[in-house]
Amino acid sequence: MVVQLHEVVERGRVESVVEYFKGRIYQRPPLRSSVKRSIRVKNIYEIEVLDYQDKFLMLRVLCDPGTYMRKLAHDMGLILGVGAHMRELRRTRTGPFREDETLVTLQEVGEALYLWRSSGDERYLRRVIQPVEVSTVHLPKILVLDTAVDAVAHGANLAAPGVALLTKNVESGKPVAIYTLKGELVALGKSLKSADEIARMDKGLIAETTRVVMPRGVYPRTWKTKSGSGLR
Amino acid sequence: MGLKEKGVGFLDKITARAGYVNNWITVREADTSPDYGVLPYERGIIDHINFGVINLDKPPGPTSHEVVAWIKRMFNIERAGHGGTLEPWVY
């Protein structure tokens, strides 16, 4: 982000104040905000001065989601005693997404869509759009048997017998991505057990389904209903 | 190569591309039927659009919300969203 200081400050002082914001910080959401305005603890994992000229300070910040950059800029101004505000902000990374070869502009999206519609050539559209699974690569993963897929697609929680394989970083209380054995994203969930525990279980719930992505009925329904066997 | 190996291979490939690694534990040996579902990279173009994400370089000015509305109109789709922080563009 680019921070504009309201008065010129000596570089050494700016650098020490920037350093001061490393680690845990406390922020109250701004007045115009869609979340509850209670004080929140956020982590600034990395903060680096990329450039400082005149009153303009360019910073690279690695922080928790939901950290207010505008607030950070304002607070730096308070500590420097001259006041400051955020001039520009660019998100360079979020979850698994970076400014790499997959980053595309609206113009490129529009052109790829036009090419497909006008000539039937899908290649550009497939370059611009990535499979939804790409958005979950940073998460711990559970792959489920074909017989367990549709229950999860209906929003059911995942039980131990449905698990085929999982990654070692699955942790109780943490998010997980649930896939089919073909690698299709079925749902997002919250794990109720650790990977080791799940590997040793033969019954019981192991994950809560929080967000379903796959439509119902793609995989066969195998559970029983009150009206008799659901096997088709 | 079986369908399961292809599926796991796909996940490993996209995971590695983003700089992460999957350390797998096999709990139950099983394969997956070719009768339902599809390998993510073999989806038809309509499904590819509906189950796709775009890493979009949003211009300054319009809000994320506005850009989502444009994308919906361009593609003529009902469901689209954005995730500045956690979730990606999920259609």
Side-chain angles (χ1 to χ4, degrees), chain A residues 90-91 94 98 102 104 117 126 129-130 132-133 135 141 146 160 163-168 182 184 201 218, chain B residues 7 18 20 22-23 25 27-28 32-33 36-38 40 43 45 48 51-53 55-57 74 84-85 88:
Chain A
R90 181 166 173 88
R91 193 185 297 279
T94 177
R98 280 150 229 271
T102 67
V104 293
R117 282 189 176 145
R126 286 188 186 270
I129 304 176
Q130 302 170 261
V132 66
E133 287 75 15
S135 62
K141 300 171 182 65
D146 284 0
V163 178
L165 60 163
L166 78 171
T167 55
K168 287 181 183 167
K182 296 183 188 77
E184 306 152 281
M201 287 168 69
V218 174
Chain B
Y20 301 86
N22 296 322
N23 290 305
I25 305 174
V27 183
R28 286 169 192 84
T32 175
S33 166
Y36 16 81
V38 64
R43 284 185 182 121
I45 190 69
H48 185 75
F51 299 97
V53 293
N55 187 4
L56 191 80
D57 194 343
M74 283 164 67
T85 47

Side-chain angles (χ1 to χ4, degrees), chain B residues 42-78:
Chain B
E42 288 182 354
R43 284 185 182 121
I45 190 69
I46 301 295
D47 275 348
H48 185 75
I49 293 169
N50 284 319
F51 299 97
V53 293
I54 302 176
N55 187 4
L56 191 80
D57 194 343
K58 184 185 81 61
T63 64
S64 309
H65 205 81
E66 285 170 307
V67 174
V68 167
W70 296 345
I71 292 272
K72 272 190 204 172
R73 280 191 56 183
M74 283 164 67
F75 283 86
N76 237 329
I77 49 177
E78 302 104 70

Side-chain angles (χ1 to χ4, degrees), chain A residues 107-122:
Chain A
Q107 177 83 22
E108 291 172 285
V109 175
E111 284 167 1
L113 190 56
Y114 173 79
L115 271 169
W116 171 56
R117 282 189 176 145
S118 61
S119 72
D121 190 344
E122 319 175 340

Side-chain angles (χ1 to χ4, degrees), chain A residues 170-204:
Chain A
V170 171
E171 260 181 85
S172 176
K174 294 283 175 64
V176 279
I178 303 170
Y179 306 88
T180 67
L181 287 169
K182 296 183 188 77
E184 306 152 281
L185 183 64
V186 183
L188 299 177
K190 193 178 92 178
S191 183
L192 303 170
K193 305 278 176 190
S194 71
D196 287 339
E197 288 173 305
I198 295 169
R200 282 186 266 108
M201 287 168 69
D202 50 20
K203 61 174 196 286

Side-chain angles (χ1 to χ4, degrees), chain A residues 207-219:
Chain A
E208 209 174 275
T209 299
T210 53
R211 186 80 156 81
V212 175
V213 174
M214 181 179 277
R216 301 167 179 189
V218 174
Y219 278 70

Side-chain angles (χ1 to χ4, degrees), chain A residues 64-170:
Chain A
D64 281 329
T67 311
Y68 294 97
M69 287 298 104
R70 194 174 294 281
K71 210 87 176 169
L72 192 71
H74 177 83
D75 291 350
M76 280 179 182
L78 289 183
I79 294 187
L80 284 166
V82 298
H85 66 280
M86 185 180 82
R87 278 294 294 267
E88 270 182 55
L89 179 66
R90 181 166 173 88
R91 193 185 297 279
T92 56
R93 200 189 138 181
T94 177
F97 295 102
R98 280 150 229 271
E99 291 179 298
D100 56 17
E101 68 285 351
T102 67
L103 188 69
V104 293
T105 61
L106 267 172
Q107 177 83 22
E108 291 172 285
V109 175
E111 284 167 1
L113 190 56
Y114 173 79
L115 271 169
W116 171 56
R117 282 189 176 145
S118 61
S119 72
D121 190 344
E122 319 175 340
R123 287 176 300 166
Y124 300 94
L125 205 50
R126 286 188 186 270
R127 199 176 302 164
V128 159
I129 304 176
Q130 302 170 261
V132 66
E133 287 75 15
V134 165
S135 62
T136 55
V137 294
H138 59 305
L139 298 174
K141 300 171 182 65
I142 299 180
L143 269 58
V144 300
L145 302 173
D146 284 0
T147 48
V149 175
D150 204 42
V152 177
H154 275 76
N157 293 334
L158 182 60
V163 178
L165 60 163
L166 78 171
T167 55
K168 287 181 183 167
N169 56 352
V170 171

